[in-house]
Amino acid sequence: MSRFFRSGDDSSSESSSEEEELYSEEEEEEEEQDESEEEDDDDDDDESEEESSSDEEGGKKSGAARFLRGDDSESEESDDDAPKTLKSAKDKQIAELESTIDTIEKRQKIGDWGAISNEFDKLNRQASKISERGQTPKLYIKALVELEDAMNETISKQKVTPKKMNATSARGLNAVKQKIKKLKQDYQSQVDSYREDPLDFLASDEEEEAPAPKAKKTKAEVYADQVEDDQEGFATVGKGGKTLQFTPESIFKHLRGILESRGKKNTDRLEQIKIMEKLLEVAVTPYQQIKVLLTLVSARFDLGSGGSASMPLEHWKAAEKEISTMFEVLGTNKEYVVIENAEEWDDDEKPPTLQPGEKYIKIPGSVVSYVERLDDELTRSLQSIDPHTSEYIERLRDEGLLYDVIFRGLLYYEMLAKDSSLQTPQDSLNRIVMRRLEHVYYKPAQVVMVLETDAWKKVPAEVDSTITPRGSIVDATALLNVLCSNLFANSEGIIRARAMLCQIYFLALHDEYYKARDMMLMSHLQETIGSFDVQTQILYNRTLVQVGMCAFRRGLVYEAQNTLQEICGSGRQKELLAQGVMIQRYAQVSPEQERLEKQRQLPFHMHINLELLECVYLTCSMLLEIPLLAQTGSSPDIKKRVISKTYRRMLEYHERQIFTGPPENTRDHVMQASRALAAGEWKKATNFIHSIKIWDLMPNTDEIKAMLAKQIQEEGLRTYLFTYAPFYDTLDVSTLSSMFELEDRKVSAIVSKMISHEELAAALDQVASTIMFRKGVELSRLQSLALTLSDKSAQLIETNERTLEHRTQGTANAFDRRGGQNQRGRGGGQRTGRGGARTGGTGQRQAGGTQFTGGVLGGAVRG
């Protein structure tokens, strides 16, 4: 205390002691306030009520407070200052409630249901705060009933009024309707009491005062009270520090709360999943189990809904088990069906029962959507894993579990389709059949049969399939035919096109080239593929490549090169087959486009080996281009044609190399084999081709190498005849057969084919087994070069004239080289040379300057 107060009388000493007591009380209040900062807002309201009530207490102030200016002191302020009215926290809340009700009534008069919906939410929050400390406000019950009556009146008017409500008000009206329907279940008894006698309800039993606030507990004491006496000693604590009780009766209440919070910010999805797992444990009826499983699987899928992140592995496996459990529950209790067109059951108190005349209890849900999402999440997971690790192999094993789920889903939809009263959409059945087809079309037949056998083992013996009956599928080809035929008959558009492409891919993969080719041509997809979605275009490119490689394995070089030309000739194989993203130098790709491109990428186990594809394409191009180059070199009058520009560029680049070392990669092997084949060294070319290690990845490697050796021998013979025919008068067939180690009959057949196609100017004497060449047709090397020079000179003259026409802008007489009369040079004269004198505009142009007649070479060409 200050020394001025110490010297006072007894009253001052008493006041000082009272002041110390006042300060100590204030310090205790501050400590209590610090401890209660972590409590709910209701506790804060209690404290404010206590403080306001203490302020209202009369009596003199003691201690230093009596020296302060207050209400009791004689102030010299003006009489106009009215005293302030202090309200308790409860009175303030009631006032806010009345204000909100008044606002709702005003909005009702103008029919602004969008604003009413927002104000109604505010009213519910205010009423819940008041209800927590005591009885539910009667004003709130009254407002709830009046709002329901106004809502019903508005809905009845809308049915007979031709003018429709605007979209915002319609949404607000529907929202208010749903909220009132839900709230009436909680306040049904009070609403009924108000409707019986409103005046008696408002007059009787005035709202009780809130009970005295309980002594505040520390945080540790709060959690200690929530601990249950179970074996672990822990309990689930919900919002507000209350222990959640999981009973079969409370399942639907918990589920509705979870569904309402789904998609909102600051929602702990993992906590919701844990709650639903406990709800599943206490579920006793099939309806409860199915509802919890449907909600639980949806919540797990929400974990992988963000951006490029895939669903966590443990949740994917849990979702797979829960979907399988749901199929078992539905199979055991056939009166319950999950279909898309069912109505939602709103009553949380009692579950639906089987009504007279009905065979099923319909539960809203889409099984095919769950199956598709499970498939997509596995694909996303495989995209994000390094394919060269053991983790990828472990993850790939889950595809067998996924195939089982797809198979069980197909059996379930077949069961629904048998009953026409359920009106099962055909599109759902087509979608799940397509998923099954997409998991088998790219696999070898042995793997497909293993998947199919394992899937049937997990199905009860009494369950059978209408599309693929048990025991009817003897091999993978029959399975593909049945699935595709079903989709051809019952689907259209993209699904039908994808089914056809899958069947063509499977046939090509198993060396059924002619069937695959005929189906591809009859489908006419090459004419309309540009109008399909990107995924279908990728499947088309993959099928085209597989057909080309099938033709190569069958020894059909021309067909293989012609089929692969469209994909491999573009230089964008990786992008067109969805096996990687091409980074182009000047292309500007937005982040959204890049994200979509990455999402389209195929998992590594579905890739087609790009190195093998390039090797096949270059080898086929070599076997076709080298004889063509030899033919055009010896007969320049033949129109030059290019089969593969990509191969020609590589060959020209390789020939420009000053030093050529031993081949290091596939491209080098093919280029050096091409040079050896052009020089007639077919054995050397065969060795280069056989030394390519990528052939080991193909089935029947030895047969492929033997086929390539035979093709190189035949094309070497054709190249030799094209190159050296001008130097022969006659040539013995046996000589050629010994040079290229071919049979005489094979050599005769090749020569006869060349003669019939007018590729070789010769005649075959079958009696003497001799080839007689006709002279005067082939040109010598000097003649060929002279003709080439003449062609290039003509092209140069044409280019110069085109340039002159462009510069003179098509002026009349621009190409008249005679000194015509009344002609004027540009600017009144013509320069005869750089810096030369200017002559008259009517004079003849002199040689030099811009005048060009072609000289001796031009005259020779024109003559």
Side-chain angles (χ1 to χ4, degrees):
M1 292 295 297
S2 173
R3 59 191 177 89
F4 298 104
F5 288 99
R6 282 197 204 106
S7 60
D9 54 1
D10 296 339
S11 60
S12 63
S13 62
E14 291 176 0
S15 64
S16 64
S17 62
E18 291 176 356
E19 182 180 359
E20 290 176 356
E21 293 176 0
L22 176 64
Y23 285 159
S24 62
E25 288 175 1
E26 290 177 354
E27 290 174 356
E28 290 177 359
E29 288 180 0
E30 289 177 0
E31 291 178 357
E32 290 179 0
Q33 185 174 1
D34 293 336
E35 291 176 356
S36 62
E37 282 178 357
E38 298 178 356
E39 297 294 326
D40 296 331
D41 295 337
D42 300 335
D43 297 334
D44 297 333
D45 295 335
D46 293 341
E47 289 176 11
S48 63
E49 183 179 352
E50 290 172 3
E51 290 172 5
S52 61
S53 61
S54 65
D55 291 340
E56 289 176 357
E57 292 177 357
K60 276 190 174 184
K61 295 182 180 179
S62 60
R66 65 196 181 102
F67 293 97
L68 301 175
R69 181 184 297 175
D71 293 335
D72 298 334
S73 64
E74 297 179 359
S75 61
E76 296 179 357
E77 294 178 356
S78 63
D79 297 331
D80 297 336
D81 295 338
K84 294 183 180 180
T85 304
L86 298 177
K87 293 183 179 180
S88 66
K90 184 174 181 180
D91 293 339
K92 290 180 182 178
Q93 290 176 344
I94 294 294
E96 291 175 356
L97 192 73
E98 292 175 349
S99 174
T100 306
I101 293 173
D102 186 50
T103 305
I104 291 176
E105 291 175 351
K106 291 179 181 177
R107 297 295 181 182
Q108 286 178 9
K109 293 178 182 178
I110 61 176
D112 189 358
W113 285 97
I116 291 173
S117 176
N118 297 332
E119 292 294 329
F120 190 48
D121 291 337
K122 182 178 176 182
L123 180 67
N124 291 332
R125 290 194 296 270
Q126 293 170 350
S128 63
K129 279 189 177 182
I130 299 175
S131 300
E132 287 176 0
R133 67 173 64 246
Q135 191 176 0
T136 304
K138 305 252 177 111
L139 287 175
Y140 175 70
I141 302 298
K142 177 184 176 184
L144 187 65
V145 173
E146 291 177 351
L147 184 60
E148 184 185 15
D149 294 339
M151 177 196 69
N152 293 331
E153 183 181 356
T154 304
I155 292 175
S156 61
K157 285 182 180 179
Q158 284 296 314
K159 291 180 180 179
V160 298
T161 306
K163 184 179 179 181
K164 292 186 178 180
M165 188 181 295
N166 60 42
T168 305
S169 295
R171 284 196 297 269
L173 181 63
N174 290 331
V176 171
K177 181 180 178 182
Q178 296 297 327
K179 293 167 190 172
I180 290 178
K181 186 177 181 181
K182 178 182 170 184
L183 288 169
K184 277 186 65 178
Q185 297 176 2
D186 299 332
Y187 304 110
Q188 189 63 50
S189 59
Q190 294 169 313
V191 169
D192 294 340
S193 301
Y194 177 81
R195 287 193 180 278
E196 289 176 3
D197 192 351
L199 296 177
D200 185 44
F201 176 79
L202 294 174
S204 65
D205 294 331
E206 290 295 330
E207 296 168 3
E208 299 176 358
E209 293 295 328
K214 298 179 181 179
K216 297 173 183 176
K217 299 181 181 180
T218 62
K219 199 169 186 180
E221 291 173 345
V222 171
Y223 282 106
D225 292 342
Q226 295 166 356
V227 175
E228 292 183 351
D229 296 331
D230 57 357
Q231 57 182 359
E232 295 182 358
F234 292 98
T236 304
V237 179
K239 190 175 181 181
K242 297 178 181 179
T243 304
L244 297 178
Q245 299 293 334
F246 300 115
T247 60
E249 293 76 17
S250 65
I251 286 178
F252 299 114
K253 182 179 179 182
H254 287 300
L255 286 181
R256 184 171 293 278
I258 290 172
L259 288 174
E260 288 176 354
S261 64
R262 184 180 178 190
K264 294 184 179 179
K265 291 182 178 180
N266 302 325
T267 301
D268 191 349
R269 295 173 179 171
L270 294 175
E271 186 63 30
Q272 290 183 345
I273 290 173
K274 291 178 182 178
I275 293 174
M276 285 187 283
E277 287 174 346
K278 294 187 177 181
L279 292 177
L280 183 60
E281 293 175 1
V282 301
V284 291
T285 65
Y287 181 76
Q288 291 175 345
Q289 292 175 350
I290 294 170
K291 288 290 290 183
V292 173
L293 285 170
L294 289 172
T295 312
L296 179 56
V297 173
S298 300
R300 291 194 191 278
F301 286 145
D302 287 343
L303 295 176
S305 60
S308 60
S310 60
M311 188 175 174
L313 175 59
E314 61 275 9
H315 287 282
W316 188 93
K317 292 191 173 183
E320 182 270 328
K321 290 180 181 177
E322 286 151 7
I323 294 176
S324 301
T325 305
M326 184 176 64
F327 284 137
E328 293 175 1
V329 174
L330 291 172
T332 307
N333 306 275
K334 296 187 181 299
E335 66 273 13
Y336 294 95
V337 293
V338 178
I339 54 177
E340 289 88 344
N341 52 10
E343 295 184 0
E344 184 71 39
W345 183 261
D346 296 327
D347 193 354
D348 293 343
E349 299 297 330
K350 58 178 182 178
T353 56
L354 202 60
Q355 300 297 327
E358 295 183 355
K359 294 190 295 183
Y360 302 105
I361 297 175
K362 299 179 181 179
I363 303 172
S366 178
V367 174
V368 66
S369 298
Y370 288 150
V371 173
E372 288 180 335
R373 184 64 188 275
L374 197 68
D375 188 5
D376 294 340
E377 290 297 336
L378 178 62
T379 302
R380 291 172 64 185
S381 176
L382 291 171
Q383 287 174 346
S384 61
I385 299 175
D386 185 2
H388 304 291
T389 60
S390 59
E391 182 186 0
Y392 189 89
I393 304 299
E394 293 292 331
R395 192 73 178 96
L396 192 57
R397 292 178 181 174
D398 293 332
E399 190 178 12
L401 301 175
L402 175 63
Y403 188 80
D404 295 341
V405 171
I406 294 173
F407 185 64
R408 292 294 298 274
L410 178 57
L411 293 177
Y412 180 70
Y413 270 96
E414 287 179 4
M415 185 269 293
L416 295 180
K418 291 178 183 178
D419 193 342
S420 59
S421 63
L422 292 175
Q423 299 179 355
T424 306
Q426 182 64 38
D427 180 61
S428 300
L429 188 61
N430 293 339
R431 283 160 59 191
I432 203 162
V433 171
M434 192 66 226
R435 289 285 174 165
R436 184 180 177 188
L437 181 61
E438 287 178 347
H439 276 275
V440 299
Y441 81 93
Y442 63 91
K443 291 183 172 67
Q446 299 85 351
V447 179
V448 174
M449 292 310 298
V450 170
L451 281 175
E452 194 71 13
T453 306
D454 291 344
W456 276 110
K457 287 179 181 178
K458 299 179 182 178
V459 176
E462 66 274 6
V463 178
D464 203 356
S465 172
T466 56
I467 298 177
T468 57
R470 190 190 296 265
S472 64
I473 303 300
V474 294
D475 59 358
T477 305
L479 175 64
L480 263 291
N481 289 336
V482 170
L483 294 178
C484 293
S485 300
N486 180 269
L487 291 176
F488 294 158
N490 299 311
S491 66
E492 57 185 12
I494 291 180
I495 292 184
R496 178 183 289 181
R498 290 183 68 85
M500 185 168 293
L501 289 172
C502 288
Q503 188 171 13
I504 295 169
Y505 189 103
F506 184 82
L507 291 172
L509 185 65
H510 294 83
D511 293 336
E512 298 281 349
Y513 169 72
Y514 291 105
K515 288 183 180 179
R517 181 200 63 181
D518 294 343
M519 284 191 66
M520 179 68 87
L521 293 176
M522 287 189 298
S523 67
H524 297 286
L525 284 174
Q526 60 272 16
E527 301 170 4
T528 58
I529 193 62
S531 61
F532 286 93
D533 63 313
V534 178
Q535 295 291 345
T536 306
Q537 293 180 15
I538 291 170
L539 180 58
Y540 175 81
N541 294 338
R542 285 166 51 80
T543 305
L544 200 63
V545 166
Q546 199 61 248
V547 171
M549 297 185 70
C550 176
F552 175 78
R553 291 193 297 269
R554 296 293 298 269
L556 305 172
V557 175
Y558 177 76
E559 288 82 355
Q561 200 278 339
N562 195 22
T563 307
L564 297 176
Q565 173 67 35
E566 186 176 355
I567 303 297
C568 299
S570 64
R572 299 166 53 221
Q573 301 95 305
K574 187 182 294 187
E575 185 178 356
L576 293 175
L577 298 176
Q579 296 180 190
V581 181
M582 298 288 291
I583 301 177
Q584 300 178 1
R585 182 175 299 176
Y586 300 108
Q588 294 182 354
V589 181
S590 64
E592 181 67 19
Q593 291 175 335
E594 186 176 357
R595 184 181 62 83
L596 291 175
E597 192 70 27
K598 288 182 178 179
Q599 286 181 354
R600 297 190 192 109
Q601 302 305 303
L602 295 173
F604 183 76
H605 68 281
M606 297 178 65
H607 284 192
I608 297 173
N609 193 303
L610 294 179
E611 188 179 355
L612 178 61
L613 176 62
E614 184 186 28
C615 183
V616 169
Y617 174 70
L618 292 179
T619 303
C620 293
S621 300
M622 177 193 75
L623 294 173
L624 296 176
E625 283 280 9
I626 295 301
L628 182 63
L629 287 171
Q631 183 183 8
T632 54
S634 61
S635 302
D637 55 332
I638 297 177
K639 184 180 179 181
K640 292 184 179 180
R641 121 184 122 86
V642 178
I643 296 177
S644 173
K645 291 183 180 180
T646 306
Y647 174 80
R648 286 281 183 98
R649 276 199 303 269
M650 292 181 185
L651 190 61
E652 290 174 2
Y653 175 78
H654 191 268
E655 288 178 348
R656 286 199 301 267
Q657 298 297 316
I658 299 174
F659 172 75
T660 304
E664 297 179 356
N665 52 30
T666 302
R667 190 174 298 178
D668 290 346
H669 279 88
V670 177
M671 292 300 110
Q672 294 203 17
S674 302
R675 294 185 65 176
L677 185 61
E681 300 175 350
W682 66 272
K683 288 186 178 181
K684 189 176 180 182
T686 304
N687 292 333
F688 277 125
I689 295 296
H690 283 183
S691 60
I692 300 175
K693 296 180 181 180
I694 199 69
W695 299 124
D696 296 335
L697 297 180
M698 298 190 77
N700 304 322
T701 306
D702 295 335
E703 295 179 7
I704 298 293
K705 290 184 177 180
M707 180 271 294
L708 287 173
K710 183 180 177 182
Q711 293 284 348
I712 291 172
Q713 285 174 315
E714 294 177 4
E715 299 303 328
L717 173 60
R718 285 165 47 83
T719 304
Y720 182 84
L721 290 174
F722 282 136
T723 305
Y724 297 106
F727 303 99
Y728 284 98
D729 290 329
T730 60
L731 184 59
D732 194 9
V733 173
S734 59
T735 305
L736 291 175
S737 63
S738 61
M739 288 176 61
F740 292 96
E741 298 181 4
L742 292 170
E743 298 178 358
D744 291 350
R745 292 180 60 186
K746 187 65 176 177
V747 173
S748 300
I750 294 173
V751 172
S752 300
K753 189 175 181 180
M754 293 174 68
I755 294 172
S756 65
H757 290 173
E758 297 182 356
E759 295 175 345
L760 188 64
L764 179 61
D765 186 354
Q766 294 182 350
V767 177
S769 297
T770 307
I771 305 171
M772 293 176 290
F773 296 92
R774 293 198 301 268
K775 292 297 178 183
V777 179
E778 290 85 2
L779 299 176
S780 65
R781 185 68 174 166
L782 180 60
Q783 292 171 330
S784 301
L785 291 174
L787 282 175
T788 303
L789 181 60
S790 174
D791 291 340
K792 297 211 170 170
S793 302
Q795 291 175 6
L796 181 61
I797 292 173
E798 185 179 357
T799 304
N800 286 343
E801 289 180 346
R802 212 180 277 126
T803 304
L804 179 62
E805 182 181 4
H806 177 70
R807 288 186 177 181
T808 56
Q809 299 296 327
T811 307
N813 302 321
F815 298 103
D816 190 0
R817 301 188 183 278
R818 297 170 300 171
Q821 297 179 355
N822 299 328
Q823 286 186 344
R824 290 187 179 181
R826 192 181 302 173
Q830 178 67 35
R831 292 185 185 273
T832 58
R834 185 177 297 176
R838 188 188 296 265
T839 60
T842 58
Q844 186 175 1
R845 288 195 291 179
Q846 303 295 324
T850 58
Q851 184 179 2
F852 176 71
T853 60
V856 178
L857 182 60
V861 172
R862 287 194 300 273

